[in-house]
Amino acid sequence: DDGSTWRAELKPLKKDLKRMFKLLTFRFDKKSNLVCGIEFTEISGDVTCIRFSDRVVDGSVDNGLFQMQ
């Protein structure tokens, strides 16, 4: 971490989630306070990282890209 983010760590309380995850870590950009990454730490110790880049807040989305169900 280069000091440009802050993090919130969530520990699952529900039994079903506790079987899969040890910890969920959300990383936030200090300037925008937008989520810039999520880390899922599994019980096995494996970690899945998702990083967000080129974020757009309240951008327009073409309705033809999705089908409502």
Side-chain angles (χ1 to χ4, degrees):
D1 183 18
D2 64 1
S4 64
T5 63
W6 61 274
R7 68 182 181 193
E9 295 184 345
L10 305 175
K11 293 183 181 179
L13 297 176
K14 289 196 169 198
K15 188 177 178 180
D16 292 343
L17 288 174
K18 285 174 100 171
R19 279 191 245 146
M20 296 184 341
F21 299 109
K22 188 185 313 184
L23 183 68
L24 302 174
T25 304
F26 290 78
R27 293 196 175 273
F28 294 84
D29 179 81
K30 282 185 178 178
K31 290 181 182 176
S32 67
N33 282 324
L34 296 175
V35 175
C36 57
I38 304 172
E39 297 173 5
F40 301 90
T41 304
E42 299 177 28
I43 294 299
S44 66
D46 288 346
V47 178
T48 300
C49 299
I50 301 171
R51 301 281 182 246
F52 302 104
S53 61
D54 302 323
R55 296 165 299 199
V56 176
V57 178
D58 293 330
S60 61
V61 177
D62 180 4
N63 289 335
L65 294 175
F66 299 95
Q67 179 181 358
M68 298 297 285
Q69 296 183 1

